[in-house]
Amino acid sequence: MTRAKLRRLKARTWKYPLALERQYTSSISSFLQKRWKAYAAVAVPMMVPREDALEDLEPEPGTNGPAIGGIVNIARTVDKFNKKELQAFKEIAIGEAFAEDEPWVKNVIDSWSREQVSLITKASQDMLDTVARRIREGVKSGKSARQVTAMINADLPGISYRRARIIARDQTAKLNSALTQGRMADAGIETYIWSTSEDERVRGNPTGLYPKALPSHYAMNGKVCRWDDPTVWLENGEWVKRAGDAPYLHPGMDIMCRCVAIPNWDELEGVGASELPEPEPVDVEPPKVDVTEDQGLFQNEKTFVDNLSSRFNVDEIETEQLDSAFSMIKRMPIDAQKAYEMVLTRFVADISNGGKAEFNTDSKKILLFAKAKGNDLVHEAGHAIDNMIGTKYGRDFASAVKRGKFGNRNLGEIVKDEFVSPILESAKAYRLEALRDAAKKITPEVFEIIKKNSEQYIQANKILFAISDMDVDRDVKVFILSLFNSDAGDDVIKSLAAGNTKKSIEHLAVALNNPDYGQFFSMVDSMTRPMRELKELAKGSRSINSISDMFEAATGIPGIFDDFGHGFGYWAFSPDRKSGEAFAEILEMIGSDEKGTRKILDKYLPTARDFVLDLIKETR
C-alpha cells in the first residue's frame, strides 16, 4: 500500500451509529408505553391493591413480549451501517484484503437479539411493577380510578424513555463493537486504535463531567490495542499491561461506552500484528486495585460520586445517596474498601426504573435503581464481592463454603448457631409473661369485635381484618392470631369474647410446645424480653431489616422479628442464599455509624463479623 493511501485511511474516522441508537431508543420506548397502557387498562378499573392479584393480570394477547422480528431488523440495520463503514475503507485500501462472505454475522445478530428480548422483557416487567405500586398508593390514599390513571400516565413518558435510552445506548454499542471486531478479523487486522467520543462525557476526561471516573476511557484514546487480549496496549514498541485505571475491555463493551475501534492501518504497510513483540503474560483476573486511605475511588466524596454517576448515568439517583454509600464503606477496614473498589469499578450497570437494587450472579452486574438508597448499593456490591471470591470455589457465594477455622461452618450456619437459635431458645422461658402482657393490652373495642365473631369457629382473619385499621398494639394481633390458629375450642374462644383471658392464656401456654403451630407461636417469641432487648438496640436503625431477614433465613418462618424478609421461595431456591444475604447484611452493619448496630455486632455476631472480614482478605 502506498503512503498516500495510508494517510487517507488514517484520516477516515470509523463512525458510531448514533442515529440508529436513537431509533432503537424510540422503538423500545414505544413498546414499553404500549405495554404500560395495556396493563393499566386492565388493572386500574379493578383497583386491586394486592400485589399477588396484580401478578395474575395480563394484557391482551400479543403484548406480552417484544417482537423478535423487529429486533432482528434493527440488528440488521446496524450491521448494514457497520459494513458500509468498512466499505468506505475498502474503497481506499485494497479490496482483496477483505472477505465478502461473513457466515459469523448471523450468529452475532441472533445472540444479540435474544439478549434484547431478555432486557426489554425485564424492563417491561419493572414498569408493570411500577403500575402496580401506583395503584396500591392510589387505593391507600383514597384516590379514584380516574385520578390513579392520571398519576400513572404522568409518569409514563419519562420512565419509558429513560429505560429505553439506557438499553439502546448500551446494546447498540456492544453490537457495533462485535461486528467491527469480526470484520477486522476477516480483513486480517489484528490490532486497533481506541477512539473516544472526545467530549465532556468521556470517563476520566480531566476537563469533563467525570474527571475521576474509573476505569478511565480518556486514558485509552489513541492507544494501539490487540483484539485477542483486552488487557494490554502498545507502549514504546512493546505490548505491556494496561494501567490499573484503564478498562480491560474492547471499545463499546463497557457499560454505556460510546468509544469505537479504528483499524490500525499501519499493519497494511508491511507490519502484521504477528510480527510485533508478544504481550507479557497476564493473570486471568485483572490486577488488584491498590487502595489506600487517600487515593483511588475513595479519595473523597466527590471522586466517588463522579465515578459512579458516570457509570450509572441515572439522573434520578440523589447525590446524597451516593455520599451515604461512600461514608459507609469508608468506615470499613481497608481490605473491605479494596474489595468494594474492585467491584464498583468493574461490575456496575444501571437501570433507571425499579425498586432498589440487586446483584445478578449470571451477568455479574450490580443494578442500581432510581429509588435506591446508599445502603442498598453497599448491600448489593457486598453480594458482588462475595460472588467474586466465590468463583474460586465454584460457588455463587464464597460465604456458603464451610471454613475449617470457623468450625467447618459456613456463614449461614454461624448466624443460626450463635445468633438466632440462642435468642429463640431463651425466649421460650418468657412466653407466658409475653402472653399475659399482650392480653392486658386488649381494649374493650377489640373485645367487642371478638365477641361479634366468636359464634363462628376460628374467625381470626376476619377479626384481624376488622382491627387492621385501628390503633391496636402488634402484640394483641399476634395474641389473637396465635389463639385462633391453635386448636382452641369454642369455650376458650367464648371466654376470650367475654373478656376472660385467663383460660386463653392457659390454653396457649400448652399449645406453644406443639410443633404443628410453630409458625404462629414463633411470632409470640418476638414479644418476649430477649427479643425486645435485641429490637431495642436496633430501634430506628437500618439493621432492623438485616436482623429480620437473618431470622427468617434461619427458621424459614416470616414475621418473627419484623415484617421485612425475602420470603420462603427465595430461601428455598438455593441454600447458598442464606449465607449470601448474611454476608451483605453484615457488611452493611460494619459500615453503619449507629451505636445500636455496632453493639449488636459486638454482642450477638462477633464470629460472623470475623468470618466476613477474614473472607474479604482473599481479594488481596
Side-chain angles (χ1 to χ4, degrees), residues 423-566:
I423 290 179
L424 291 180
E425 189 62 32
S426 176
K428 291 180 180 179
Y430 295 90
R431 284 174 172 173
L432 192 58
E433 175 188 301
L435 290 170
R436 287 171 179 161
D437 289 342
K440 293 175 183 178
K441 299 175 183 178
I442 302 178
T443 63
E445 291 82 5
V446 174
F447 274 125
E448 186 65 26
I449 292 172
I450 296 172
K451 182 178 180 180
K452 289 179 180 180
N453 292 278
S454 64
E455 296 301 323
Q456 298 183 34
Y457 185 53
I458 307 183
Q459 294 291 312
N461 289 335
K462 189 172 182 180
I463 294 171
L464 288 171
F465 182 78
I467 66 176
S468 61
D469 293 331
M470 296 173 59
D471 185 18
V472 177
D473 194 282
R474 179 180 182 273
D475 291 357
V476 174
K477 296 179 182 179
V478 171
F479 181 91
I480 295 170
L481 185 62
S482 301
L483 179 66
F484 283 89
N485 280 280
S486 71
D487 57 354
D490 288 342
D491 55 340
V492 175
I493 297 172
K494 289 178 180 178
S495 295
L496 182 62
N500 180 4
T501 59
K502 182 178 180 180
K503 194 170 185 178
S504 300
I505 293 173
E506 291 174 352
H507 174 81
L508 285 176
V510 175
L512 283 168
N513 296 316
N514 188 335
D516 292 340
Y517 308 117
Q519 178 171 350
F520 303 103
F521 297 133
S522 290
M523 288 190 291
V524 173
D525 289 336
S526 69
M527 300 153 50
T528 63
R529 192 178 304 174
M531 292 287 277
R532 288 188 183 280
E533 289 176 357
L534 176 58
K535 194 168 185 176
E536 185 63 29
L537 282 176
K539 186 177 181 180
S541 74
R542 290 186 295 265
S543 62
I544 191 77
N545 291 345
S546 297
I547 295 168
S548 177
D549 211 33
M550 290 182 198
F551 268 78
E552 181 185 287
T555 63
I557 301 172
I560 294 178
F561 196 87
D562 205 355
D563 295 331
F564 180 86
H566 279 85

Side-chain angles (χ1 to χ4, degrees), residues 39 43 46 48-58 132 136:
Y39 189 75
M46 297 175 66
V48 183
R50 287 181 15 252
E51 186 171 3
D52 57 345
L54 283 166
E55 289 173 352
D56 294 335
L57 297 177
E58 282 294 340
R136 287 195 295 273

